[in-house]
Amino acid sequence: MELMSVLSDVYFPAAVFFACVTASAVLFLIIGIKLGGMIFSAGMKNRVKTERADAVRRSRAVLTGQMAEQISPVLPGFPVNPAEARFIGKPVDFIAFTGLSSGSVSEVVFVEVKSGSSRLSPVEESLKEAVKAGRVRYEEFRVPV
């Protein structure tokens, strides 16, 4: 009996200690998960708010640019006669045929409309360089009958 008493005196405190450590670990794990979730949730709310504001700003810029493209021929300073300009949209906004209204085209002009601090896209830049270098031609295609 004395051996059982000694063993229980040794193992019981160890078991209680192990149970306390395990319970503490589980409690800290639960607190950590809850706290981490709250921090993540708060961060996501802020991120969503920031990204929505950015999306609205970009959307407004795109709409402003599209509106500017459409009304630019009637604005002061448009580089060609609006009656001679044709809207294309991509890869250039307008192609103007100088002299078209008088019946004899003397020049073909590519017009790209930009607003704010927008820049030429790589495709628009390459078109500009092709025109400057004279890499422009006229083709006639006849439909086979």
Side-chain angles (χ1 to χ4, degrees), residues 72-132:
S72 62
V74 297
L75 294 176
F78 193 69
V80 295
N81 181 351
E84 299 173 339
R86 301 295 180 262
F87 181 76
I88 296 176
K90 294 285 180 192
V92 66
D93 292 323
F94 293 91
I95 293 183
F97 304 93
T98 305
L100 181 67
S101 57
S102 64
S104 178
V105 175
S106 61
E107 182 183 32
V108 177
V109 181
F110 294 86
V111 180
E112 180 62 32
V113 177
K114 294 292 181 191
S115 64
S117 62
S118 61
R119 305 177 118 185
L120 291 177
S121 72
V123 171
E124 293 165 348
E125 191 67 46
S126 68
L127 176 61
K128 178 180 174 182
E129 293 305 316
V131 170
K132 281 185 173 183

Side-chain angles (χ1 to χ4, degrees), residues 3 6 9 26 32 51-52 57 64 72-73 81 93 113 126 140:
L3 182 62
V6 171
D9 287 345
V26 168
E51 288 182 8
R52 282 185 181 165
R57 182 185 56 78
T64 301
S72 62
N81 181 351
D93 292 323
V113 177
S126 68
E140 182 176 337

